[in-house]
Amino acid sequence: MSDFSMVLHGGAGTILKEDMTPELESAYFNALQIALDAGYGVLEQGGTAVNAIKAAIVILEDNVLFNAGRGAVFTKKGVQEMDAAIMDGSDLSAGAVAGVRNVRNPIMLATEVMRNSNHVFLSGKGANDFAIKQGIKLEPDEYFYSAFRYDQWKAIRDSDNYSLDHTNHHLEELLRDKKFGTVGAVACDANGNIAAATSTGGMTNKKYGRIGDSPVIGCGTYANNKTCAISCTGHGEMFIRTVAAYDVSCLMEYKGLSLQEAMQEVVNKKLVNIGGEGGMIGVDAKGNHAMVLNSAGMYRAVRNSRGFNEVSIYK
Ligand code: ASP
């Protein structure tokens, strides 16, 4: 039996203590601890890493505070289109969905893709059809609504500067001012198997069917027992361009770096070099964990069988 550990994130970005009320701060702490304990509980009872991360992510998706499931951000058209992925490091099986609507828990759908389809990555209407076929729980549009995300979207949807041309600094600034809010989990179970999952509404006011890094295996999500399980959060385009999660794995496999060293290299050098704001969480198959960010904050939490428990927000 090996050490087991459970790590979560609830998004990274410009999260500053001075912008936070004590009530909101404690709401985030509580939400993270509840999800962390749910995942850890699965591990403690000898459950698998995959089941542990699923249990934690479902709780975060159901919580309106996070940009995943209920509370997901609004697209340009004023709806929620969600992305999610899960990967099992024991056999490299993976499932992902992009641009799904009305799915209560996109991580359940991604798991269904991993376990019960011949595919890895489904998108849009096809993914929704698969959800219906597999009996995945759906919810009406209103379920996903949150006043906070709506106001965030309203502030940029009609702005003169907005036209989603990629050099639009006004939009960039507005987005940077807000936390991102994606959720992710990685775990190492008592058998030394590791897994990673990420779920998100993507970025506010996204259009053209934009897909971020979260559901892209190797970019926002990756797991391999030989190296690490990683879940990322931040400005997705940069995490795709750096193939961030898989790069951590490669640095460990081919260069012999430790989990912490490899994550430092990717987050604080490679991503920083192209202006990629965000962070990531990781575990290896010995139950070691790391949480690295280059933004002002990242909602994050870790609990392991060595008796360590910590929830934090700021850098
Ligand atoms: N990485 C996500 C995306 O680009 C956003 C986030 O992490 O909050 O879709």
Side-chain angles (χ1 to χ4, degrees):
M1 194 171 123
S2 69
D3 280 331
F4 48 94
S5 55
M6 178 80 217
V7 192
L8 298 181
H9 73 71
T14 309
I15 310 165
L16 299 169
K17 182 127 183 122
E18 53 265 35
D19 296 340
M20 194 72 91
T21 62
E23 293 76 27
L24 193 58
E25 195 173 89
S26 73
Y28 276 110
F29 273 109
N30 285 338
L32 289 165
Q33 188 69 54
I34 288 167
L36 186 69
D37 291 345
Y40 187 81
V42 172
L43 298 175
E44 210 171 21
Q45 281 165 27
T48 64
V50 165
N51 286 337
I53 58 177
K54 235 172 39 182
I57 296 269
V58 163
I59 287 174
L60 296 172
E61 285 178 337
D62 287 350
N63 190 321
V64 76
L65 285 176
F66 300 97
N67 171 22
R70 186 168 166 248
V73 298
F74 288 81
T75 65
K76 177 69 180 168
K77 291 195 173 134
V79 296
Q80 279 89 6
E81 292 176 356
M82 300 168 287
D83 304 335
I86 187 161
M87 186 161 186
D88 184 343
S90 69
D91 62 0
L92 305 184
S93 59
V97 293
V100 295
R101 295 193 49 193
N102 302 101
V103 173
R104 182 185 174 111
N105 295 111
I107 204 65
M108 298 301 278
L109 182 56
T111 307
E112 205 57 31
V113 173
M114 174 169 78
R115 296 289 187 231
N116 297 314
S117 79
N118 296 318
H119 308 295
V120 168
F121 202 174
L122 303 183
S123 73
K125 184 166 184 317
N128 270 88
D129 290 347
F130 183 67
I132 292 165
K133 178 170 168 279
Q134 300 302 112
I136 293 285
K137 195 155 194 223
L138 302 180
E139 297 287 354
D141 287 350
E142 305 78 71
Y143 169 83
F144 298 90
Y145 175 89
S146 61
F148 165 70
R149 299 290 179 200
Y150 186 75
D151 291 346
Q152 214 176 38
W153 172 63
K154 254 187 9 201
I156 63 171
R157 75 172 169 188
D158 299 323
S159 76
D160 285 346
N161 286 326
Y162 174 73
S163 62
L164 210 82
D165 95 55
H166 299 294
T167 52
N168 189 324
H169 296 298
H170 184 60
L171 175 66
E172 297 276 295
E173 258 161 44
L174 279 161
L175 288 173
R176 203 170 304 136
D177 281 341
K178 306 292 172 190
K179 63 187 169 43
F180 294 91
T182 291
V183 305
V186 296
C188 172
D189 64 32
N191 292 316
N193 290 317
I194 60 178
T198 314
S199 179
T200 186
M203 291 179 89
T204 303
N205 221 27
K206 65 183 182 182
K207 59 178 181 175
Y208 307 128
R210 181 264 187 192
I211 299 168
D213 61 312
S214 311
V216 183
I217 297 302
C219 296
T221 308
Y222 186 73
N224 182 344
N225 274 10
K226 268 168 74 177
T227 51
C228 57
I230 301 286
S231 171
C232 303
T233 177
H235 196 155
E237 280 68 10
M238 316 305 173
F239 285 75
I240 293 175
R241 288 165 57 198
T242 51
V243 199
Y246 184 61
D247 200 25
V248 173
S249 174
C250 287
L251 287 167
M252 294 175 71
E253 184 170 4
Y254 305 129
K255 256 188 145 182
L257 267 55
S258 69
L259 177 69
Q260 178 78 34
E261 289 166 347
M263 283 170 61
Q264 289 284 2
E265 173 76 22
V266 174
V267 174
N268 288 320
K269 289 197 191 139
K270 294 189 176 194
L271 279 164
V272 166
N273 282 345
I274 59 165
E277 183 186 359
M280 57 172 71
I281 55 173
V283 290
D284 65 19
K286 293 196 182 81
N288 297 310
H289 75 270
M291 306 185 283
V292 179
L293 56 150
N294 65 32
S295 51
M298 177 167 82
Y299 299 103
R300 57 199 188 278
V302 55
R303 186 171 170 194
N304 65 29
S305 58
R306 297 167 197 160
F308 187 72
N309 185 102
E310 187 182 84
V311 182
S312 38
I313 301 181
Y314 313 104
K315 199 166 181 168

